[in-house]
Amino acid sequence: MAITGKCLCGAVRFTIETDAPLGVRQCWCRVCQYLGAGSGTVNAVFPKEAVTATGPLVDYVSTADSGSIMHRRFCARCGTPMFSEAEPRPHQIIVRAGALDEPELAKPAAIIWIRSAPSWACFDPSLPTAEAQAPPPKS
Ligand SMILES: [Zn+2]
Ligand SMILES: [Zn+2]
């Protein structure tokens, strides 16, 4: 069974030839608060070769606090955050969980960057947290 998803307007669609993500984390870094309209983002990591996307994507390139060059891709029409990729990890792609047709697949296993979260942020007390970045999942 493949995993599928799309942006809000439906112009961008993707298929992931796998059953489950390599890992899922909620991130409260400052960048994610911009992407998540104030909240943290939920990010599912997949092997890059498993993902096929179609539709108009814009690529915003920036340098993360870690020094990694990041590519963040959005639907050119509706602006939904779809994917991000870190140049040091070309074999992985991060899919924004909101774009998955089945968000239940993306239950976070950890919460990262809690030190930049606002005081009103809510964290699942059953999940491990990290003050800042944590190592990405192995693949
Ligand atoms: Zn769209
Ligand atoms: Zn983040």
Side-chain angles (χ1 to χ4, degrees):
M1 275 292 286
I3 294 171
T4 55
K6 61 179 175 53
C7 66
L8 177 61
C9 78
V12 176
R13 292 175 186 272
F14 61 86
T15 301
I16 310 171
E17 294 296 337
T18 185
D19 296 331
L22 299 169
V24 182
R25 299 189 300 192
Q26 187 178 36
C27 181
W28 280 90
C29 80
R30 194 64 186 89
V31 171
C32 283
Q33 292 174 48
Y34 281 96
L35 297 171
S39 190
T41 63
V42 179
N43 302 293
V45 181
F46 291 96
K48 188 169 177 183
E49 76 268 9
V51 178
T52 309
T54 57
L57 288 163
V58 238
D59 184 7
Y60 172 63
V61 182
S62 64
T63 305
D65 289 346
S66 62
S68 298
I69 306 288
M70 300 293 302
H71 294 261
R72 294 185 174 84
R73 294 191 170 85
F74 306 82
C75 172
R77 204 157 103 194
C78 70
T80 301
M82 302 298 292
F83 308 110
S84 82
E85 291 170 71
E87 286 192 0
R89 293 186 294 282
H91 54 294
Q92 292 183 343
I93 186 167
I94 294 162
V95 178
R96 306 294 182 190
L100 295 170
D101 287 337
E102 185 42 84
E104 284 297 332
L105 290 170
K107 181 174 165 36
I111 308 168
I112 61 173
W113 282 102
I114 61 165
R115 78 167 179 224
S116 44
S119 62
W120 46 260
C122 295
F123 304 125
D124 180 340
S126 71
L127 294 180
T129 58
E131 283 291 314
Q133 190 58 272
K138 305 260 189 296
S139 62

